[in-house]
Amino acid sequence: MKRRKHRKEKLKMGDEMILAGKPKSQFYKLPFDKSTRTLRLNVLESHTELRAGNRPYYMVEKKVLSFKKGILTIRVKLENEPPVKVYLKVEYDHLLVSCNIDTDENYLGRYAYRTLRAMLWNEFHDFEKYYWPECFNEATGKTKYLQVICDRYGVDIRLKKEFKGFFRPDDYFLHISERKVLERKCANDGLATLNQNYLIGYCLANTDPVRFHSNHYPFLIPYSFTFNADNKTVKSFTGFLFEEDDSFEQSELSENQTKLNSICYQMKKIAKIQFTEYGDSDKRSVEIDDLNFSNKRKIFELFNKALPILSREPSTHYLFTYGMRNIQKRPMKKDMQVARFSGEVPRLNFLLSDKGDYYELKLRLKVKEKVLHFSEDRIAMFFICSSANPTVWYLLECETDSRVVLFFGRKNFKIQIPKGYYKEHFEAYIDEIKKQYELEIK
């Protein structure tokens, strides 16, 4: 009977995860701040009566030896003592800590305490850098997701390029609000005829919206130009057209160009992004955020209104401005890229694929029921291109779609989620997506 009981205990222990040569249950637990991987000094010191003195970080020599199976192994040497090894493992809501001398599940030893106390020199430490659950093969210790470099400077942990969209529990994921799709008028077939005596085209001016110096949302701006002898290709751009500019005759414009110019001028007035300044109150910050969002929504509405006319214009271009300050006088020919604006409505389409030990969520677009992939460097907030034809721009169905595209675009349009925590930490996002978009499961 005793032998059978001993065998059961041995099997139970054999099933338990072994970390740095000892069962996981024998590591000491220290709780993090809620929904973070931050350990605070008051929490650490509430778990022990040990104290490190006035300058705890100067009296501890630390050298990172490895980061394997999610375990950070540190060589620690206290003054006039032989070196020891301290082990740290970052879990969802707590830190596991042990060493090769004295720390166990009931006692936080001196070496482990002094190591952590040295790391908490600012009264807290964020261990997010070492938080990689379900990333290591327990048998081999290898990881398909991460590139780990450990040298004399410490440890550098990076996602491999193909896993740029890797999702960990508590990582930010975009909340997809209800989509408000605007009615869009159909464009007439064929291109409008150019007035050969007064050539006007239209340019989509775009920049990076997250850079401080960029300072504007995408908008349309008219330009004047001259043709080469073939009357098909642009010889030179003679200048941007501004509302306050009186160098052209309104009578030379067609009815559609008059309407389009009016829309362009309305866009430019509200395209500049406002920023908070040093000393601004919280109330002022909220006001600026509300103004920016309101202007962004209005510009999308203006694009929706302009598209049926814009798609018929025979001369249209795209320009990456690097900031509103560069929209002056005449555009440089080398910077102006030929563009066409389609009247077709692109619809966002998600694909959830089983990749073995993880799921991959991919964002694609559909035009006329044909699935296309995004051109990653051809996104202008409300406008997107396909990789198959990066000169044709499509206006998204609604402003919400632009936020979805921007979020996924930063992750190469695909997100990877290990199966170990998919159901608990990610499935709710999939349910949210299904309410607003088409989702295919493979």
PDB file of all heavy atoms in Angstrom, residues 24-37:
ATOM      1  N   LYS A  24       8.370  23.611 -10.171  1.00  0.00           N
ATOM      2  CA  LYS A  24       7.882  24.989 -10.199  1.00  0.00           C
ATOM      3  C   LYS A  24       7.251  25.388  -8.866  1.00  0.00           C
ATOM      4  O   LYS A  24       7.341  26.546  -8.448  1.00  0.00           O
ATOM      5  CB  LYS A  24       6.855  25.106 -11.336  1.00  0.00           C
ATOM      6  CG  LYS A  24       6.292  26.490 -11.564  1.00  0.00           C
ATOM      7  CD  LYS A  24       5.346  26.479 -12.759  1.00  0.00           C
ATOM      8  CE  LYS A  24       4.729  27.846 -13.002  1.00  0.00           C
ATOM      9  NZ  LYS A  24       3.816  27.845 -14.174  1.00  0.00           N
ATOM     10  N   SER A  25       6.623  24.432  -8.190  1.00  0.00           N
ATOM     11  CA  SER A  25       5.951  24.728  -6.925  1.00  0.00           C
ATOM     12  C   SER A  25       6.919  25.126  -5.824  1.00  0.00           C
ATOM     13  O   SER A  25       6.504  25.659  -4.788  1.00  0.00           O
ATOM     14  CB  SER A  25       5.128  23.513  -6.477  1.00  0.00           C
ATOM     15  OG  SER A  25       5.977  22.395  -6.244  1.00  0.00           O
ATOM     16  N   GLN A  26       8.209  24.881  -6.014  1.00  0.00           N
ATOM     17  CA  GLN A  26       9.204  25.209  -4.990  1.00  0.00           C
ATOM     18  C   GLN A  26       9.835  26.587  -5.203  1.00  0.00           C
ATOM     19  O   GLN A  26      10.786  26.950  -4.513  1.00  0.00           O
ATOM     20  CB  GLN A  26      10.288  24.127  -4.934  1.00  0.00           C
ATOM     21  CG  GLN A  26       9.757  22.795  -4.435  1.00  0.00           C
ATOM     22  CD  GLN A  26      10.826  21.709  -4.370  1.00  0.00           C
ATOM     23  OE1 GLN A  26      12.019  21.987  -4.414  1.00  0.00           O
ATOM     24  NE2 GLN A  26      10.386  20.459  -4.257  1.00  0.00           N
ATOM     25  N   PHE A  27       9.302  27.350  -6.166  1.00  0.00           N
ATOM     26  CA  PHE A  27       9.742  28.731  -6.352  1.00  0.00           C
ATOM     27  C   PHE A  27       8.903  29.648  -5.460  1.00  0.00           C
ATOM     28  O   PHE A  27       7.720  29.402  -5.230  1.00  0.00           O
ATOM     29  CB  PHE A  27       9.573  29.158  -7.807  1.00  0.00           C
ATOM     30  CG  PHE A  27      10.721  28.772  -8.697  1.00  0.00           C
ATOM     31  CD1 PHE A  27      11.062  27.440  -8.883  1.00  0.00           C
ATOM     32  CD2 PHE A  27      11.460  29.742  -9.363  1.00  0.00           C
ATOM     33  CE1 PHE A  27      12.109  27.080  -9.697  1.00  0.00           C
ATOM     34  CE2 PHE A  27      12.503  29.403 -10.193  1.00  0.00           C
ATOM     35  CZ  PHE A  27      12.837  28.069 -10.357  1.00  0.00           C
ATOM     36  N   TYR A  28       9.512  30.714  -4.989  1.00  0.00           N
ATOM     37  CA  TYR A  28       8.790  31.688  -4.166  1.00  0.00           C
ATOM     38  C   TYR A  28       8.002  32.621  -5.085  1.00  0.00           C
ATOM     39  O   TYR A  28       8.495  33.037  -6.129  1.00  0.00           O
ATOM     40  CB  TYR A  28       9.762  32.506  -3.318  1.00  0.00           C
ATOM     41  CG  TYR A  28       9.094  33.270  -2.208  1.00  0.00           C
ATOM     42  CD1 TYR A  28       8.883  32.672  -0.961  1.00  0.00           C
ATOM     43  CD2 TYR A  28       8.646  34.573  -2.397  1.00  0.00           C
ATOM     44  CE1 TYR A  28       8.253  33.353   0.066  1.00  0.00           C
ATOM     45  CE2 TYR A  28       8.009  35.272  -1.379  1.00  0.00           C
ATOM     46  CZ  TYR A  28       7.813  34.653  -0.141  1.00  0.00           C
ATOM     47  OH  TYR A  28       7.184  35.335   0.865  1.00  0.00           O
ATOM     48  N   LYS A  29       6.768  32.995  -4.676  1.00  0.00           N
ATOM     49  CA  LYS A  29       5.901  33.834  -5.498  1.00  0.00           C
ATOM     50  C   LYS A  29       5.838  35.254  -4.953  1.00  0.00           C
ATOM     51  O   LYS A  29       5.617  35.458  -3.759  1.00  0.00           O
ATOM     52  CB  LYS A  29       4.474  33.275  -5.542  1.00  0.00           C
ATOM     53  CG  LYS A  29       4.314  31.991  -6.318  1.00  0.00           C
ATOM     54  CD  LYS A  29       2.838  31.593  -6.345  1.00  0.00           C
ATOM     55  CE  LYS A  29       2.616  30.316  -7.137  1.00  0.00           C
ATOM     56  NZ  LYS A  29       1.179  29.941  -7.171  1.00  0.00           N
ATOM     57  N   LEU A  30       5.985  36.232  -5.841  1.00  0.00           N
ATOM     58  CA  LEU A  30       5.827  37.637  -5.498  1.00  0.00           C
ATOM     59  C   LEU A  30       4.802  38.252  -6.450  1.00  0.00           C
ATOM     60  O   LEU A  30       4.989  38.197  -7.672  1.00  0.00           O
ATOM     61  CB  LEU A  30       7.156  38.388  -5.610  1.00  0.00           C
ATOM     62  CG  LEU A  30       8.209  38.018  -4.554  1.00  0.00           C
ATOM     63  CD1 LEU A  30       9.585  38.531  -4.989  1.00  0.00           C
ATOM     64  CD2 LEU A  30       7.835  38.588  -3.197  1.00  0.00           C
ATOM     65  N   PRO A  31       3.715  38.824  -5.940  1.00  0.00           N
ATOM     66  CA  PRO A  31       2.655  39.331  -6.818  1.00  0.00           C
ATOM     67  C   PRO A  31       3.024  40.635  -7.521  1.00  0.00           C
ATOM     68  O   PRO A  31       3.693  41.502  -6.956  1.00  0.00           O
ATOM     69  CB  PRO A  31       1.476  39.549  -5.859  1.00  0.00           C
ATOM     70  CG  PRO A  31       2.115  39.795  -4.529  1.00  0.00           C
ATOM     71  CD  PRO A  31       3.373  38.958  -4.507  1.00  0.00           C
ATOM     72  N   PHE A  32       2.549  40.782  -8.764  1.00  0.00           N
ATOM     73  CA  PHE A  32       2.708  42.020  -9.536  1.00  0.00           C
ATOM     74  C   PHE A  32       1.525  42.954  -9.291  1.00  0.00           C
ATOM     75  O   PHE A  32       0.479  42.529  -8.783  1.00  0.00           O
ATOM     76  CB  PHE A  32       2.768  41.714 -11.037  1.00  0.00           C
ATOM     77  CG  PHE A  32       3.999  40.983 -11.476  1.00  0.00           C
ATOM     78  CD1 PHE A  32       3.895  39.888 -12.330  1.00  0.00           C
ATOM     79  CD2 PHE A  32       5.265  41.392 -11.075  1.00  0.00           C
ATOM     80  CE1 PHE A  32       5.022  39.217 -12.773  1.00  0.00           C
ATOM     81  CE2 PHE A  32       6.406  40.728 -11.506  1.00  0.00           C
ATOM     82  CZ  PHE A  32       6.286  39.636 -12.357  1.00  0.00           C
ATOM     83  N   ASP A  33       1.686  44.215  -9.692  1.00  0.00           N
ATOM     84  CA  ASP A  33       0.535  45.111  -9.786  1.00  0.00           C
ATOM     85  C   ASP A  33      -0.467  44.497 -10.757  1.00  0.00           C
ATOM     86  O   ASP A  33      -0.084  43.828 -11.729  1.00  0.00           O
ATOM     87  CB  ASP A  33       0.958  46.488 -10.317  1.00  0.00           C
ATOM     88  CG  ASP A  33       1.647  47.329  -9.263  1.00  0.00           C
ATOM     89  OD1 ASP A  33       1.746  46.880  -8.105  1.00  0.00           O
ATOM     90  OD2 ASP A  33       2.102  48.442  -9.600  1.00  0.00           O
ATOM     91  N   LYS A  34      -1.738  44.749 -10.532  1.00  0.00           N
ATOM     92  CA  LYS A  34      -2.784  44.160 -11.352  1.00  0.00           C
ATOM     93  C   LYS A  34      -2.609  44.504 -12.833  1.00  0.00           C
ATOM     94  O   LYS A  34      -2.353  45.651 -13.188  1.00  0.00           O
ATOM     95  CB  LYS A  34      -4.158  44.638 -10.872  1.00  0.00           C
ATOM     96  CG  LYS A  34      -5.314  43.949 -11.571  1.00  0.00           C
ATOM     97  CD  LYS A  34      -6.647  44.403 -11.028  1.00  0.00           C
ATOM     98  CE  LYS A  34      -7.806  43.712 -11.741  1.00  0.00           C
ATOM     99  NZ  LYS A  34      -9.134  44.149 -11.221  1.00  0.00           N
ATOM    100  N   SER A  35      -2.733  43.486 -13.684  1.00  0.00           N
ATOM    101  CA  SER A  35      -2.652  43.616 -15.158  1.00  0.00           C
ATOM    102  C   SER A  35      -1.326  44.189 -15.631  1.00  0.00           C
ATOM    103  O   SER A  35      -1.237  44.802 -16.692  1.00  0.00           O
ATOM    104  CB  SER A  35      -3.805  44.483 -15.687  1.00  0.00           C
ATOM    105  OG  SER A  35      -5.045  43.899 -15.385  1.00  0.00           O
ATOM    106  N   THR A  36      -0.258  44.008 -14.847  1.00  0.00           N
ATOM    107  CA  THR A  36       1.079  44.435 -15.257  1.00  0.00           C
ATOM    108  C   THR A  36       2.069  43.353 -14.857  1.00  0.00           C
ATOM    109  O   THR A  36       1.731  42.367 -14.190  1.00  0.00           O
ATOM    110  CB  THR A  36       1.508  45.755 -14.581  1.00  0.00           C
ATOM    111  OG1 THR A  36       1.837  45.506 -13.205  1.00  0.00           O
ATOM    112  CG2 THR A  36       0.420  46.810 -14.671  1.00  0.00           C
ATOM    113  N   ARG A  37       3.312  43.557 -15.232  1.00  0.00           N
ATOM    114  CA  ARG A  37       4.402  42.719 -14.766  1.00  0.00           C
ATOM    115  C   ARG A  37       5.353  43.574 -13.911  1.00  0.00           C
ATOM    116  O   ARG A  37       6.573  43.430 -13.951  1.00  0.00           O
ATOM    117  CB  ARG A  37       5.139  42.123 -15.963  1.00  0.00           C
ATOM    118  CG  ARG A  37       4.840  40.670 -16.258  1.00  0.00           C
ATOM    119  CD  ARG A  37       3.391  40.347 -16.396  1.00  0.00           C
ATOM    120  NE  ARG A  37       2.783  40.992 -17.547  1.00  0.00           N
ATOM    121  CZ  ARG A  37       1.490  40.950 -17.817  1.00  0.00           C
ATOM    122  NH1 ARG A  37       0.665  40.330 -17.016  1.00  0.00           N
ATOM    123  NH2 ARG A  37       1.011  41.560 -18.864  1.00  0.00           N
TER     124      ARG A  37
END
